[in-house]
Amino acid sequence: MKAVQEFEMHHPMAKYLRTERFPHIWCEGCGNGIILGCFTRALDELKINIDKLVVVSGIGCIGRIAGYLRCDSFHTTHGRAIALATGIRLANPNLTLAVISGDGDLFSIGGNHFIHAARRNIDMTVICSNNFNYGMTGGQLGPTTPLHSYTTTSPYGNIEHPFNLVHLAAAAGAVYVARWTALHVQRLTASIKKALQKKGFKFIEVVSPCPEIFGRRNNFKKAIEMMRWLKDVSEIRHGYDPSKAEITMEKIVVGEFVDVEKPTYEELLQKKYIKVQEKLREKNAG
Amino acid sequence: MSLTTLAKPVVRRKKIQEVKWHVIEDFCKGCTFCIEFCPVNALEESQKLNVKGVHPPKLKSEDACIGCGLCERICPEFAIYLEKVNTNEKEEEKK
């Protein structure tokens, strides 16, 4: 009880968090806590009004982030985080909207919602915590599991090629695409800040260590070993061709890959709405 | 105490800001990210056991921290926070 009170009283990020739910239930060394910290820091540095902020999360370990943030937040059904966020954006275009979810939620069951939201360029910030497997259900093989790595459902090594999430987002038409690891805390915070200020469909992939479920089957005995591995294999290259930025166990290219401007869905919708209204008025007057 | 923390001596570097370093001991789950990635190796595992049965970090010496804030950002448990010390007030007190 004393620890929670100290956290509520003194921690600078406590005003953005539902402190009564802390300490959180994520495993020792999980990257999700770091992502939550970076997100709250980005909110703090931008001085975003949390009454105007909506965070949507899907199913998975990172899905609990909606319950930990002290703002209007939704924990949706499996894979439908972006679908619900699309509805929120169309209902109220003045809100700051962020979707924080996992790789299994956004890219396996919710894959179609993701590519079509990116194609339409709906104004939202999507942060994907990529932990390489379905962590919450026991570490099954997912669409982002690197080739030849071990999971509970691939005990002799994975033979499926993984998704290259940044290439997928860039090809589908996202205006801002970046990839960081949970180790690059300063750069990740800066990237989230940049994404929250930009208009359009922004995608940030965060490679997050999953020591308990993924790590222990792939020769990472402790969380810190997984973090050291991220430090060794990650390479910062801004503006790199996302099609070549595949994640392997030997190399992870991180950085900002795409940063372009494009009219968003709501802007086009608003223009079209005004145009149709004028046309109808002329017709009625005539 | 692990051997890796013993092997690293504290690096002396110019302070970025004057801070007081705090840890909420019962929040710590013992991932040791703060100890590993501190740029000046100012932290080590303490001898204490918290409610989760792990050794929370502690400062090796009071003036070892340079106030960069990396441990605060990298802690997944929100267990570390830095309290800014107003240096102007301190100087006024000295006068």
Side-chain angles (χ1 to χ4, degrees):
Chain A
M1 196 61 211
K2 213 182 142 197
V4 179
Q5 276 168 355
E6 190 188 349
F7 173 60
E8 197 173 349
M9 295 274 286
H10 298 293
H11 200 283
M13 293 303 124
K15 58 189 167 183
Y16 297 103
L17 301 165
R18 293 181 213 248
T19 45
E20 66 276 14
R21 295 189 170 203
F22 274 74
H24 60 64
I25 67 156
W26 291 316
C27 308
E28 166 226 327
C30 177
N32 292 351
I34 301 174
I35 296 169
L36 179 57
C38 289
F39 187 72
T40 50
R41 259 179 201 91
L43 295 180
D44 192 48
E45 284 168 26
L46 286 176
K47 295 189 171 56
I48 283 179
N49 182 4
I50 51 174
D51 293 334
K52 292 268 177 199
L53 172 75
V54 181
V55 175
V56 185
S57 73
I59 301 297
C61 292
I62 190 92
R64 294 189 63 88
I65 211 163
Y68 291 135
L69 281 164
R70 195 191 288 278
C71 65
D72 291 330
S73 52
F74 291 89
H75 191 184
T76 63
T77 46
H78 200 2
R80 311 293 174 244
I82 289 181
L84 187 97
T86 306
I88 293 168
R89 170 56 72 211
L90 294 182
N92 191 347
N94 300 323
L95 298 170
T96 308
L97 182 59
V99 176
I100 308 178
S101 199
D103 54 313
D105 184 76
L106 284 174
F107 290 95
S108 67
I109 192 164
N112 254 308
H113 293 298
F114 179 86
I115 55 173
H116 287 284
R119 176 178 65 82
R120 292 180 188 126
N121 198 18
I122 294 162
D123 186 11
M124 62 173 84
T125 306
V126 180
I127 300 168
C128 172
S129 163
N130 182 2
N131 63 355
F132 305 132
N133 71 122
Y134 291 107
M136 189 177 246
T137 50
Q140 290 86 354
L141 178 86
T144 51
T145 311
L147 208 59
H148 309 305
S149 58
Y150 302 92
T151 61
T152 39
T153 49
S154 62
Y156 303 108
N158 174 26
I159 51 164
E160 294 178 14
H161 290 277
F163 261 138
N164 181 356
L165 303 184
V166 287
H167 184 37
L168 180 74
V175 293
Y176 180 80
V177 180
R179 179 196 278 152
W180 298 107
T181 72
L183 184 69
H184 300 93
V185 275
Q186 304 266 25
R187 290 173 193 269
L188 174 61
T189 313
S191 201
I192 294 171
K193 269 170 74 179
K194 201 169 172 184
L196 285 171
Q197 285 169 309
K198 212 172 147 65
K199 283 264 175 206
F201 190 89
K202 292 91 55 178
F203 176 66
I204 301 168
E205 178 191 358
V206 188
V207 179
S208 161
C210 181
E212 285 293 319
I213 313 289
F214 182 81
R216 69 191 166 110
R217 294 190 176 83
N218 291 281
N219 284 330
F220 301 111
K221 291 197 179 85
K222 278 182 166 179
I224 192 70
E225 285 179 25
M226 211 155 184
M227 221 52 173
R228 281 185 201 134
W229 167 70
L230 285 178
K231 193 181 175 185
D232 292 340
V233 298
S234 60
E235 186 184 325
I236 299 168
R237 293 183 82 169
H238 292 294
Y240 193 65
D241 185 1
S243 66
K244 290 174 189 158
E246 276 175 356
I247 291 181
T248 60
M249 296 304 270
E250 288 78 38
K251 191 181 172 189
I252 299 173
V253 179
V254 297
E256 287 173 5
F257 297 99
V258 179
D259 192 357
V260 291
E261 298 289 334
K262 231 178 6 178
T264 65
Y265 183 79
E266 306 84 64
E267 285 167 9
L268 295 174
L269 179 75
Q270 202 60 32
K271 272 182 198 164
K272 191 62 85 186
Y273 183 75
I274 292 164
K275 215 173 180 182
V276 171
Q277 286 280 315
E278 277 172 5
K279 226 174 190 177
L280 280 174
R281 223 171 284 144
E282 277 171 23
K283 203 179 168 186
N284 289 342
Chain B
M1 207 183 285
S2 65
L3 286 169
T4 49
T5 52
L6 277 175
K8 285 181 182 172
V10 178
V11 181
R12 295 284 162 196
R13 213 183 275 178
K14 200 187 162 196
K15 288 199 177 193
I16 295 166
Q17 56 179 351
E18 200 69 41
V19 291
K20 202 166 180 324
W21 186 90
H22 293 277
V23 59
I24 307 168
E25 284 176 354
D26 287 348
F27 270 31
C28 180
K29 288 178 188 164
C31 66
T32 68
F33 289 176
C34 49
I35 299 168
E36 173 87 16
F37 295 111
C38 178
V40 293
N41 307 325
L43 302 169
E44 63 181 357
E45 280 180 21
S46 65
Q47 299 291 332
K48 279 186 238 170
L49 272 179
N50 69 1
V51 287
K52 292 188 166 67
V54 298
H55 301 285
K58 73 170 172 63
L59 274 182
K60 281 179 187 166
S61 67
E62 273 300 312
D63 60 340
C65 179
I66 56 164
C68 70
L70 184 77
C71 50
E72 190 187 14
R73 282 164 187 261
I74 213 163
C75 178
E77 310 300 328
F78 295 84
I80 299 173
Y81 63 94
L82 305 176
E83 192 188 333
K84 270 184 196 163
V85 179
N86 203 338
T87 43
N88 293 338
E89 274 179 23
K90 254 192 174 177
E91 279 165 18
E92 276 171 22
E93 275 173 23
K94 275 179 195 172
K95 282 171 192 172

